[in-house]
Amino acid sequence: MKTMMNLSEIFYSLQGEGPAVGRPAIFVRLSKCNRSCKGCDSPQKDRVEEVETSSVISRIQNYLKTYPNSRIIFTGGEPLLQPTAISEIMNGLPGQLFDIETNGTINNQEELFKRFNIMVISPKKDCFTSSKDRNEFITNWLKISDSGRKNIYFKFVVGNLPWAFLEAEIKDMFENTSLNPSRTWLMPAGDNNQKLSISGKNTWKVACRLGCNYSDRLHIRCDGK
Ligand code: SF4
């Protein structure tokens, strides 16, 4: 049976942010999102190519011939809108490492979650209507993690922008949920070097004060993709 999926792009690069920073990776960006955040940093999600999953598997295999040490990273948009396609791609590439970056708002695919090497949960602030709502979201993911998945990490964009998190909000998550700073990466806002050089310094200081991890956006700093 043919499974069609909505693909935005596939490309090879190094992971520029989060817990796997610097690792060679084949990025599979799935189209579309269930959110429409004000500060969306993935406008590529609106590009839609309808393809069979078998064709995506072939394209990944071609990259793997040249870059055999790559992990495969599903990103978006919101990749978990297409769990069947993701599962089929994983089935077609046995033995590979698969990571995913998700906004975390689709959390009912526990069997699929067990198959990822790393899950990076990266919601934007507009995903939440209140601090209670946000802390329940974190607690739900920690429950999923406690049921056998330890490689679930959180990444938050920090800054003085309406859609980015404030230091006080990150602190509130640490104080009012079981979220551990060691599983948390704070990332500066900014889509060019000039903005990052300012926001990066501020985010670095926040990460130092809160004792959590700092994530740069190395692909932007290094003119990567
Ligand atoms: S969840 Fe991510 S991809 Fe979706 S609209 Fe928000 S920022 Fe963009």
Side-chain angles (χ1 to χ4, degrees):
M1 197 179 75
K2 288 181 187 173
T3 298
M4 301 301 290
M5 66 181 285
N6 292 319
L7 178 73
S8 167
E9 59 182 346
I10 300 181
F11 58 95
Y12 166 78
S13 187
L14 303 178
Q15 171 61 292
E17 55 190 52
V21 72
R23 306 295 180 100
I26 297 158
F27 289 84
V28 180
R29 187 185 302 284
L30 284 78
S31 311
K32 303 185 180 175
C33 190
N34 58 341
R35 308 291 309 179
S36 46
C37 305
K38 288 187 200 96
C40 180
D41 48 11
S42 302
Q44 314 92 315
K45 73 183 188 314
D46 298 324
R47 203 158 49 204
V48 180
E49 181 191 353
E50 275 193 65
V51 285
E52 287 180 28
T53 50
S54 57
S55 146
V56 174
I57 292 167
S58 301
R59 289 195 223 175
I60 295 171
Q61 283 168 330
N62 277 338
Y63 277 116
L64 285 169
K65 284 180 198 156
T66 313
Y67 307 111
N69 297 320
S70 304
R71 60 189 58 208
I72 291 131
I73 301 180
F74 294 104
T75 184
E78 178 40 62
L80 288 173
L81 286 173
Q82 302 184 68
T84 307
I86 289 177
S87 192
E88 282 194 11
I89 292 169
M90 290 169 127
N91 293 344
L93 296 162
Q96 297 298 323
L97 277 187
F98 295 94
D99 296 354
I100 189 167
E101 170 132 351
T102 167
N103 63 29
T105 55
I106 299 171
N107 63 5
N108 60 354
Q109 300 284 332
E110 288 204 35
E111 286 311 307
L112 180 60
F113 298 162
K114 287 180 191 158
R115 302 181 66 186
F116 293 114
N117 167 55
I118 286 178
M119 292 190 77
V120 178
I121 314 299
S122 185
K124 290 288 188 299
K125 188 159 149 175
D126 350 17
C127 291
F128 310 114
T129 53
S130 64
S131 55
K132 181 170 174 282
D133 182 29
R134 183 197 62 222
N135 289 350
E136 279 173 7
F137 169 96
I138 301 289
T139 300
N140 275 338
W141 274 106
L142 291 173
K143 274 189 203 145
I144 292 168
S145 179
D146 287 345
S147 65
R149 282 221 33 92
K150 292 297 173 201
N151 297 345
I152 293 179
Y153 301 113
F154 296 83
K155 177 158 62 70
F156 302 106
V157 176
V158 170
N160 285 320
L161 293 162
W163 46 270
F165 291 91
L166 299 170
E167 178 174 357
E169 291 168 325
I170 305 289
K171 200 168 171 206
D172 183 74
M173 291 184 229
F174 292 147
E175 288 174 354
N176 292 299
T177 75
S178 306
L179 178 60
N180 192 307
S182 69
R183 299 173 78 160
T184 307
W185 271 255
L186 303 187
M187 190 167 78
D191 55 6
N192 61 48
N193 266 316
Q194 202 181 3
K195 289 182 193 164
L196 276 181
S197 69
I198 299 166
S199 58
K201 284 176 192 158
N202 292 332
T203 304
W204 177 283
K205 287 176 192 155
V206 174
C208 280
R209 283 196 288 269
L210 298 181
C212 52
N213 307 294
Y214 170 82
S215 167
D216 212 284
R217 294 177 178 238
L218 283 182
H219 51 301
I220 295 174
R221 299 239 195 221
C222 301
D223 289 335
K225 188 167 163 64

